[in-house]
Amino acid sequence: EIAKLYTDAFLVDMERLDIEPPSVLCRATDHIGEQIAFITDIEKNGYAYRTSDGVYFDTAKQKDYGYLARLDVQGLEAGKRVGLGEKRHATDFALWKFSPPGEARQMEWDSPWGKGFPGWHIECSAMAQKYLGDYFDIHCGGEDHIPVHHTNEIAQTEARVGTRLANFWLHGYFLLSNDAKMAKSAGEFLRIAFLVERGYDPLAYRYLCLTAHYRGQLNFPWDALDSAAIALDRMRNGVYALREAGEAPSDPVRTERFANEINDDLNVPRALAVAWETLRGELAPAAKRATVLNFDRVFGLGLATWVPKLETAPDAVTALAEARLVARRAKNWAEADRLRAELHAAGWEMEDRPDGYALKN
């Protein structure tokens, strides 16, 4: 029930941020059999040993153990300050842990080694292999997974099948709050639901994330989110204003520049700059719109379907707007300016359009 609560909240946030859902959403507890089979093969291949409290991976059996994190394995062994218990080496890790004698855990399973539960890392290796195969292209995760979790995933897969786990590793760096890692323990845990409660569009947060490289720290002051919300609104309105421009192909020169930035280790901030340059540039309106919407296949900001929210203005404000429209059509510019100033003082902006006007609060 606890897992379902947070899974459902996660999926709601994914939808709010317009992140495409995965084709497979797998749970570790549904794959205990696959994990046991994985450990069994590791043991058969000579990479595991048993102790009184579990089955452990023998990291000394792999000469290149820790290469992802550039671990100084010898230094770790020489500098260990705590007892290893029955572990042979400081970097060895549990593949399967036994339930304590005479105790029943809430989650435990039978296995060839006795009743217990899998180690932290084996679930990812087992599920990745089941759904992606022995060797796949891209593995993602947070920067905190590099020294231990992903390092041990690699070791497990290499011990079972003899191949690398993945070709490329994309590690996203932490979102910082006031230059410190965001964590529940520090009372600084940003939730998408909290942004919605404060009146922010979740896609404004997505836009903010696009302004930083995935391998760079992104700080979160509220004024940065405000700036992102303003920029997103301008981009949306800029594309919306071109809605009647007609059809045209994307501009090949700007499209190539955009692709070069994306292909440079996903340099989205520079790609975003190309989009703004395109939107503000001298291209024909139809080509401009088509090009930016093509870019949005990467940004995921929903520019093609966005429409302004219709706001109902008070009767007094509508009357001022209608009077200003009459003054404009009569080319009475002084009166039109005076009425615009009145609207502004009332907290409203009037956008002139060929077919009339639009009011924004």
Side-chain angles (χ1 to χ4, degrees):
E1 291 174 352
I2 293 171
K4 185 177 187 306
L5 172 70
Y6 288 104
T7 299
D8 290 346
F10 170 71
L11 294 175
V12 168
D13 284 352
M14 291 260 291
E15 185 175 358
R16 284 169 165 167
L17 293 170
D18 197 25
I19 298 174
E20 292 186 8
S23 55
V24 175
L25 191 65
C26 49
R27 297 173 175 84
T29 49
D30 293 336
H31 297 79
I32 299 300
E34 287 84 354
Q35 294 173 65
I36 290 173
F38 209 108
I39 298 169
T40 299
D41 284 348
I42 290 175
E43 190 175 43
K44 286 179 181 177
N45 291 340
Y47 288 91
Y49 61 90
R50 304 185 193 187
T51 70
S52 62
D53 73 337
V55 180
Y56 284 82
F57 190 97
D58 190 344
T59 55
K61 293 292 182 68
Q62 286 182 332
K63 293 181 179 180
D64 59 353
Y65 173 79
Y67 68 82
L68 177 73
R70 299 177 175 85
L71 291 181
D72 177 10
V73 176
Q74 291 183 343
L76 288 171
E77 292 289 345
K80 61 193 177 192
R81 294 288 183 268
V82 295
L84 294 178
E86 297 176 58
K87 284 173 55 174
R88 296 176 180 175
H89 314 98
T91 50
D92 292 355
F93 57 91
L95 297 168
W96 187 268
K97 294 283 284 183
F98 302 140
S99 296
E103 296 182 20
R105 301 179 77 254
Q106 285 185 312
M107 302 187 78
E108 59 182 12
W109 297 267
D110 290 322
S111 79
W113 315 281
K115 191 178 291 292
F117 52 97
W120 175 35
H121 317 291
I122 196 67
E123 60 194 42
C124 295
S125 292
M127 292 190 293
Q129 187 180 51
K130 177 172 181 176
Y131 295 108
L132 301 175
D134 292 349
Y135 185 27
F136 53 94
D137 283 326
I138 302 172
H139 195 310
C140 301
E143 61 175 307
D144 53 331
H145 290 155
I146 299 172
V148 180
H149 183 49
H150 286 169
T151 287
N152 292 343
E153 269 193 78
I154 291 170
Q156 291 168 159
T157 297
E158 289 186 355
R160 187 188 195 190
V161 299
T163 68
R164 297 170 62 187
L165 177 59
N167 260 332
F168 301 100
W169 293 79
L170 273 66
H171 292 102
Y173 277 46
F174 288 132
L175 176 67
L176 305 180
S177 178
N178 299 320
D179 296 314
K181 176 187 171 184
M182 196 171 289
K184 287 189 290 185
S185 58
E188 292 285 343
F189 197 74
L190 180 68
R191 296 182 301 115
I192 299 300
F194 183 51
L195 299 183
V196 174
E197 289 167 6
R198 293 188 61 158
Y200 287 96
D201 185 332
L203 290 185
Y205 172 69
R206 182 179 179 114
Y207 185 97
L208 175 63
C209 291
L210 297 179
T211 64
H213 193 274
Y214 77 91
R215 284 192 295 106
Q217 302 286 4
L218 175 60
N219 209 18
F220 184 86
W222 286 99
D223 56 355
L225 183 60
D226 290 335
S227 297
I230 292 170
L232 175 61
D233 186 63
R234 287 174 177 166
M235 181 171 281
R236 283 169 163 172
N237 279 285
V239 172
Y240 183 78
L242 302 170
R243 65 193 182 282
E244 297 177 357
E247 300 295 326
S250 297
D251 179 71
V253 174
R254 287 166 177 79
T255 299
E256 182 179 5
R257 286 183 53 206
F258 180 87
N260 288 339
E261 302 296 2
I262 292 298
N263 290 333
D264 182 14
D265 194 17
L266 296 179
N267 200 319
V268 180
R270 289 211 302 257
L272 196 60
V274 175
W276 276 113
E277 182 183 319
T278 301
L279 195 58
R280 293 166 172 162
E282 301 300 322
L283 283 178
K288 185 183 295 187
R289 183 175 187 274
T291 305
V292 175
L293 290 183
N294 188 31
F295 297 166
D296 196 43
R297 293 167 56 220
V298 173
F299 297 144
L301 298 172
L303 300 177
T305 57
W306 181 84
V307 294
K309 291 182 179 178
L310 296 176
E311 299 181 80
T312 303
D315 291 343
V317 171
T318 302
L320 285 171
E322 290 291 335
R324 184 176 178 280
L325 179 62
V326 171
R328 278 189 70 243
R329 287 175 174 170
K331 298 185 178 181
N332 187 346
W333 308 123
E335 178 66 3
D337 290 344
R338 185 188 70 79
L339 291 167
R340 180 190 281 276
E342 280 197 48
L343 284 166
H344 182 77
W348 290 80
E349 297 296 332
M350 183 173 176
E351 179 185 327
D352 297 321
R353 294 181 177 176
D355 57 347
Y357 61 86
L359 287 170
K360 293 183 179 180
N361 193 347

